[in-house]
Amino acid sequence: MHKVWAVARNTIAQAVRMKVAVVVIVLLLVVLPVMSFIVVGDGTLVGKLQTFASYGMSLVGILLCVLTISMSAYTLTSDLKLKQIFLVVSKPVCRYQILIGKFIGIAIIDVVLLVVFSSIIFGLLVAMPRLSDAPPHEIETADREFFTARIGLSEQIDRKEIEKVAIKRYQELERTGQLPIDMSPARILKELQGQERLKRRVIESGAQKVWEFENVRPVAGTKVVFVRYKLRVSGGYEGMQVKGAWLIGDQRNQEQFGPGVWDSPIYRLDTSDVLEMFHEFEVPVDAITDDGYLAVMFNNLFVNSATVIPEEMEVLYKAGSFGANFTRVSLMLLARLIFLTALGVSLSTWLSFPVTILVCFVIFFVGTVNGFVLDSFGYIEAKGIMVLYNFTFKPLLWLFPRFDGDFNPTRFMISARLLSWSFLGQVYGTMVALKSLVLLIIGFWIFSNKEIARTIV
Amino acid sequence: MAKVNSEYAIETISLTKIFPDWWGRAKVIAVDDLNFKVRHNEVYGLLGPNGSGKTTTLKMLLNLLHPSKGRAMILGGVSGDTKITERIGYLPEDSYLYRYLNAKETLDFYGRLFGLPSKIRRQRIETLLEMVGLTGMANRPVGTFSKGMARRIGLAQALINDPELLILDEPTSGMDPISTRQMKDLFIHLAKRGKTILLCSHLLADVEDVCDRIGILYGGKMQTEGEVKTLLQKSDESQIITDALSDDALAKIRQIVESEQSKCEISSPVDRLEDFFVRTVASAQQQHVPTSGAVNTATIGGFLVEESDKEHGVLEKLVTATVEEDKPIAKADVGTERVEAAPVNEEKSSLLDQLAGNKLEQVETDQEQAEEIEHIETVEEVNRALLDGLAGTDDKNSATEHTKRDNPQEADDA
């Protein structure tokens, strides 16, 4: 262990003396505070906080990733290239100890830098409401909608049911000979599913839709839960806003026992919402029944004379504190950095510096758009290619890290969403314990069998 | 100290290294079926021109390269084994140090790799830095060091574990003559303390001065191998070294030799440039001319000698000690037969003492300095006389009365 630590210390010294580290650190130290003052967002305090959290965390995340990639790709390749490794491997050190030392050294730098920059962002975020001249109600809103950690329940879509209906419609079209000839069957099915999904969401003028949520269990002492949504209208609507009436509460008994027999109070809210933007309103917590049931009904008023399509309907409730959530968000970023460290160190056992850094960046960018890549390949139509894709590229994509979607820490910050310990554990399990370990083991194997002084003649 | 668990410190069996080209075809046979053995407590010199496979052999011994065929045994095992590498000190052909670490950090790093406890590490770093004359530059990044200074640190790191076996690749490359001399003295000293040294060089003077046995490589094959003394001795010539003689005495000698039906060449000995250089720098140091380079000291790391040299205790000054014990070592014209070498002029050996630095300077009296100046004058006189002599003869070879042992060829040509 002492020997591993010696190598780690040396790696830290090497990285600290690398100019790129200093540049990144200075850049962040200047940019972050400046950014906290100049961001505006949508003009409200919450908007400002969200914008800063989003840009700040993304910037720190990307720069630290770039720094980690360059450090981990540099440390071993430079030792090999400048032959300093001759003196190290001829000492009583096992080669795996050298690799672990390098890995630990860079991981330590990552931890230190992440702690420093996360603390700076956290400090700035906490200070922003006080430094800004926002009215008290905005500060209150910020406390409720930003400085918290909420769980979001979204509407359940019955996929199986949709698939079934789509197949039925397909068969119907086939029977009547109405299948479009220029589309493959898979594409037609997909299209039909999409239509069915949309059909379930649309609310005609004057009609209503109920969303039912189960297992809504906010932490004790919570006074309100939030409903978050976005509205869209189907074509031809001139206005910018739609009017709606919301009824929230358990209305199940109404059908059975007639009007007025309810398990919970029913709240009514009239809204006039700008289209294509997220909106949130509060619901007193007693609208939720004891068994955790909450129903939300939207009435598309006649006055709109438009078909409304609500999107990304969610019920949000507080489930943790902002500080703890922020810590977990930072830890999620750390998992990413640790993976990249293992990747760089592992690749540099057999690739030169330029190649290592190139491969690392490719993997990093594929990781950041992993979902997009997967989706785009989902549309491959030719059957032969699809099989090839399923057996070659798809498993490889699993090996690739995922940095987007649910694995993007910034997302949790912006909508003040709870990042649970169990999800974080899952991320560490796959990204650190599994993928990083596999990479390091491959690296050990290559490095142990490597001819250090080898030259190709 | 030396745990002898095998007959030889180094043994290679049909060691072969073939470098393939990019397609895997054999391109260069760097080492070809090499068999050589180095005994414990021996100084072995591996000689050969550039590209003869010396460094490749060392790298295979150190597990930096894998043999294409054959085996390389080192201290009874293979060098991939950490139990074996613990007992080896290695100085590569270039120092390959981390440029951003300072001298002290460098030694500390390598000390840690040997798992030395911090107390021992600290002590050894201090003595080693003093030994290689870099105490004043302990906190300067080694990236700013000249090649010779980097070489000194390289040597210090090779000694930090008090190794049983030292593998040195071109140890004196880039070093000034004084440092070269000191380093050679150090090797001789270490050998005396029971260390085995494998020295690899193409600087023949280095090898000749320190090695017990040499092997000459060419084309990856061992061309010849044997004891330096045996290989270089010329049994058909004799050499007499005396103080300056009168013309009368010389004529008598010539007469005697001629009566023996032998040929005889008489001249004054020529000083080696190395000695002349050492003297010049020594006098500059005495006058305290400032320098940003390394300081020449003659101390040797205490830990390197303690265990195997208990009767002497810690040897403080290598050069002084050497002069006392085997005076010839201090002289450049001693060569390999140091024990039975010709008597040495006391004044001459004190020259190296001056390089021992401050300690010695402080005790030096005015009288000694006067002697020194007198000596330099004498030597210059001799040189002048020699130049005059050369001007008067067509023979460009300076045949000398005091034919040097390490230059037998000269006498031959004459």
Side-chain angles (χ1 to χ4, degrees):
Chain A
M1 196 59 212
H2 289 296
K3 295 172 185 176
V4 172
W5 179 232
V7 178
R9 273 170 49 120
N10 187 35
T11 310
I12 294 172
Q14 188 181 35
V16 168
R17 263 90 155 185
M18 246 175 102
K19 292 282 184 294
V20 59
V22 181
V23 169
V24 166
I25 292 166
V26 170
L27 193 71
L28 283 177
L29 286 178
V30 173
V31 166
L32 287 178
V34 171
M35 197 198 267
S36 77
F37 282 101
I38 60 170
V39 288
V40 183
D42 62 356
T44 63
L45 179 61
V46 173
K48 196 175 166 175
L49 286 166
Q50 285 173 339
T51 315
F52 175 64
S54 165
Y55 286 133
M57 284 304 272
S58 303
L59 187 70
V60 168
I62 287 177
L63 284 183
L64 287 189
C65 284
V66 169
L67 184 62
T68 304
I69 289 173
S70 31
M71 286 190 306
S72 59
Y74 179 76
T75 176
L76 191 64
T77 49
S78 96
D79 277 14
L80 285 164
K81 191 169 181 189
L82 302 175
K83 298 179 182 175
Q84 291 145 339
I85 200 82
F86 286 10
L87 279 179
V88 182
V89 294
S90 58
K91 304 280 180 273
V93 191
C94 295
R95 295 198 184 173
Y96 77 87
Q97 288 175 317
I98 298 174
L99 278 200
I100 294 184
K102 299 261 173 210
F103 173 75
I104 290 180
I106 295 170
I108 287 173
I109 297 175
D110 281 336
V111 170
V112 170
L113 288 182
L114 195 63
V115 166
V116 169
F117 292 119
S118 295
S119 311
I120 291 175
I121 291 182
F122 186 82
L124 288 169
L125 280 174
V126 172
M128 269 163 82
R130 261 170 268 158
L131 295 176
S132 71
D133 46 1
H137 76 269
E138 276 199 14
I139 292 177
E140 240 172 71
T141 318
D143 279 340
R144 277 198 317 266
E145 293 183 14
F146 186 81
F147 291 112
T148 178
R150 305 179 297 182
I151 282 181
L153 293 176
S154 39
E155 73 181 299
Q156 296 296 313
I157 300 165
D158 193 345
R159 269 163 213 235
K160 282 218 173 111
E161 179 66 26
I162 289 174
E163 266 170 39
K164 227 186 260 171
V165 174
I167 290 169
K168 215 183 233 170
R169 281 214 46 209
Y170 181 85
Q171 286 162 344
E172 216 177 282
L173 288 173
E174 205 175 21
R175 233 185 1 255
T176 53
Q178 287 177 9
L179 281 181
I181 37 169
D182 56 341
M183 283 163 89
S184 68
R187 176 98 181 264
I188 297 171
L189 262 178
K190 217 162 230 168
E191 203 96 324
L192 289 173
Q193 280 180 18
Q195 282 177 15
E196 182 60 30
R197 218 170 275 160
L198 189 70
K199 210 164 88 186
R200 284 163 186 246
R201 284 222 308 268
V202 294
I203 309 167
E204 304 283 344
S205 181
Q208 53 196 216
K209 179 178 164 65
V210 181
W211 292 270
E212 291 174 293
F213 298 96
E214 276 160 15
N215 245 336
V216 186
R217 301 193 188 281
V219 285
T222 309
K223 291 202 179 74
V224 289
V225 300
F226 303 85
V227 174
R228 182 181 155 97
Y229 61 95
K230 191 155 88 173
L231 296 178
R232 194 154 72 82
V233 294
S234 67
Y237 184 70
E238 297 278 303
M240 296 289 287
Q241 297 181 330
V242 287
K243 291 187 188 318
W246 297 83
L247 288 175
I248 301 108
D250 181 10
Q251 297 174 53
R252 284 174 295 185
N253 294 341
Q254 198 175 344
E255 292 165 18
Q256 218 176 333
F257 307 107
V261 188
W262 297 316
D263 270 4
S264 74
I266 303 287
Y267 293 96
R268 181 185 165 128
L269 178 75
D270 292 304
T271 54
S272 177
D273 293 323
V274 179
L275 296 169
E276 308 277 344
M277 272 189 71
F278 277 109
H279 299 282
E280 268 189 46
F281 60 79
E282 296 165 14
V283 178
V285 79
D286 57 1
I288 305 165
T289 59
D290 293 340
D291 56 350
Y293 174 86
L294 177 72
V296 178
M297 181 201 272
F298 177 74
N299 290 286
N300 181 6
L301 301 182
F302 279 115
V303 73
N304 294 325
S305 52
T307 305
V308 174
I309 308 162
E311 284 182 336
E312 299 183 47
M313 180 72 187
E314 259 187 316
V315 168
L316 293 160
Y317 53 89
K318 186 174 180 178
S321 73
F322 175 70
N325 208 38
F326 188 88
T327 311
R328 288 189 292 264
V329 166
S330 304
L331 284 173
M332 181 124 128
L333 197 56
L334 182 65
R336 187 186 290 197
L337 298 178
I338 289 175
F339 172 84
L340 290 173
T341 307
L343 180 72
V345 170
S346 175
L347 287 176
S348 60
T349 54
W350 56 288
L351 294 176
S352 66
F353 175 70
V355 186
T356 304
I357 207 160
L358 181 75
V359 174
C360 283
F361 274 121
V362 167
I363 290 177
F364 173 64
F365 285 117
V366 169
T368 24
V369 292
N370 198 325
F372 169 75
V373 174
L374 281 174
D375 286 349
S376 65
F377 279 99
Y379 287 105
I380 295 175
E381 286 179 9
K383 209 160 196 173
I385 295 179
M386 197 64 195
V387 171
L388 198 70
Y389 164 74
N390 277 335
F391 285 98
T392 55
F393 208 62
K394 212 174 172 182
L396 271 178
L397 275 180
W398 178 86
L399 267 179
F400 272 76
R402 286 211 61 182
F403 300 148
D404 60 341
D406 286 344
F407 301 92
N408 178 6
T410 320
R411 239 173 71 112
F412 293 90
M413 295 286 308
I414 298 168
S415 52
R417 231 163 265 260
L418 181 89
L419 171 59
S420 68
W421 282 114
S422 67
F423 185 65
L424 189 67
Q426 206 183 312
V427 169
Y428 268 79
T430 50
M431 204 122 86
V432 177
L434 205 65
K435 293 182 184 178
S436 301
L437 196 69
V438 167
L439 283 171
L440 283 178
I441 288 171
I442 295 171
F444 295 154
W445 187 80
I446 295 172
F447 194 52
S448 304
N449 293 296
K450 192 183 173 79
E451 273 192 298
I452 298 290
R454 171 92 178 213
T455 43
I456 301 286
V457 186
Chain B
M1 176 69 207
K3 273 177 281 171
V4 182
N5 51 11
S6 120
E7 202 184 337
Y8 297 101
I10 292 173
E11 187 177 2
T12 70
I13 304 150
S14 303
L15 194 65
T16 305
K17 182 68 196 177
I18 300 167
F19 285 112
D21 64 3
W22 199 80
W23 305 100
R25 293 175 302 193
K27 185 90 173 175
V28 173
I29 303 174
V31 177
D32 190 2
D33 202 25
L34 182 68
N35 290 293
F36 82 101
K37 297 181 174 87
V38 178
R39 285 186 283 268
H40 287 281
N41 194 14
E42 180 176 54
V43 184
Y44 189 97
L46 207 52
L47 285 173
N50 292 333
S52 54
K54 305 182 299 278
T55 302
T56 307
T57 306
L58 293 196
K59 281 176 180 164
M60 280 192 280
L61 286 173
L62 289 158
N63 199 31
L64 294 171
L65 283 174
H66 302 162
S68 309
K69 217 181 76 193
R71 289 185 74 186
M73 305 286 288
I74 191 160
L75 296 172
V78 284
S79 134
D81 185 356
T82 52
K83 289 264 185 312
I84 302 288
T85 34
E86 242 166 36
R87 294 149 57 197
I88 301 174
Y90 170 50
L91 175 66
E93 72 270 28
D94 214 327
S95 297
Y96 303 140
L97 301 166
Y98 288 99
R99 298 174 56 82
Y100 48 83
L101 296 180
N102 66 35
K104 213 175 199 167
E105 288 167 339
T106 302
L107 295 182
D108 188 63
F109 172 60
Y110 294 114
R112 279 169 190 271
L113 290 187
F114 279 105
L116 299 176
S118 66
K119 199 178 151 196
I120 293 181
R121 221 163 50 222
R122 261 203 314 279
Q123 284 171 352
R124 287 192 181 177
I125 290 168
E126 212 170 286
T127 38
L128 282 172
L129 280 175
E130 200 191 331
M131 185 182 111
V132 297
L134 292 174
T135 310
M137 272 146 276
N139 294 318
R140 217 171 93 180
V142 295
T144 64
F145 281 11
S146 71
K147 195 178 176 202
M149 282 152 80
R151 229 49 207 134
R152 288 159 186 256
I153 287 292
L155 179 72
Q157 68 78 26
L159 292 171
I160 194 138
N161 58 326
D162 189 13
E164 220 169 284
L165 168 68
L166 260 173
I167 297 182
L168 308 164
D169 199 352
E170 312 279 356
T172 55
S173 73
M175 281 194 152
D176 61 55
I178 300 164
S179 319
T180 305
R181 174 90 71 92
Q182 282 181 337
M183 218 178 212
K184 286 193 274 188
D185 290 342
L186 173 70
F187 298 153
I188 292 165
H189 193 86
L190 289 172
K192 261 201 261 163
R193 307 297 153 193
K195 316 262 184 222
T196 312
I197 300 178
L198 174 61
L199 192 133
C200 176
S201 182
H202 50 220
L203 297 174
L204 303 182
D206 293 1
V207 175
E208 190 180 351
D209 289 350
V210 294
C211 292
D212 301 324
R213 230 148 53 87
I214 56 164
I216 299 179
L217 275 181
Y218 185 79
K221 283 189 163 137
M222 189 64 85
Q223 301 296 334
T224 185
E225 202 186 3
E227 287 193 16
V228 179
K229 205 158 76 178
T230 329
L231 290 176
L232 298 185
Q233 197 159 43
K234 292 174 143 195
S235 45
D236 57 350
E237 281 179 19
S238 301
Q239 171 182 283
I240 301 163
I241 298 171
T242 68
D243 290 338
L245 296 174
S246 64
D247 289 348
D248 195 24
L250 289 178
K252 274 183 200 160
I253 291 169
R254 218 183 278 273
Q255 219 169 16
I256 297 167
V257 173
E258 274 160 14
S259 72
E260 291 275 318
Q261 311 284 310
S262 288
K263 282 183 191 162
C264 168
E265 290 286 343
I266 298 172
S267 71
S268 298
V270 183
D271 204 7
R272 291 213 316 193
L273 186 56
E274 189 180 341
D275 297 320
F276 186 70
F277 182 86
V278 168
R279 261 195 324 271
T280 312
V281 176
S283 72
Q285 277 192 359
Q286 274 201 325
Q287 288 157 25
H288 299 287
V289 178
T291 175
S292 65
V295 181
N296 291 299
T297 65
T299 50
I300 180 166
F303 71 92
L304 293 168
V305 292
E306 268 166 7
E307 280 184 76
S308 42
D309 190 33
K310 282 190 177 111
E311 70 272 29
H312 291 286
V314 181
L315 219 78
E316 278 185 17
K317 297 189 197 73
L318 167 64
V319 175
T320 337
T322 317
V323 170
E324 281 163 8
E325 284 169 22
D326 326 310
K327 287 167 185 173
I329 292 170
K331 266 181 70 76
D333 57 346
V334 166
T336 46
E337 294 176 63
R338 44 187 189 267
V339 181
E340 37 194 320
V344 184
N345 187 340
E346 273 302 325
E347 287 171 290
K348 237 184 175 182
S349 56
S350 73
L351 277 176
L352 259 185
D353 288 4
Q354 291 155 27
L355 294 174
N358 300 336
K359 276 188 198 168
L360 219 60
E361 273 177 42
Q362 285 161 6
V363 295
E364 235 164 20
T365 59
D366 289 348
Q367 193 198 342
E368 275 170 317
Q369 279 178 4
E371 273 175 23
E372 179 51 35
I373 293 161
E374 194 183 316
H375 165 71
I376 293 171
E377 280 167 358
T378 320
V379 173
E380 277 172 2
E381 247 169 62
V382 173
N383 287 344
R384 233 175 286 131
L386 186 68
L387 280 171
D388 293 345
L390 276 173
T393 166
D394 288 329
D395 191 358
K396 63 180 173 159
N397 287 317
S398 54
T400 63
E401 189 180 4
H402 297 214
T403 310
K404 286 175 192 170
R405 273 162 197 272
D406 48 3
N407 256 341
Q409 198 60 42
E410 274 183 20
D412 210 34
D413 292 342

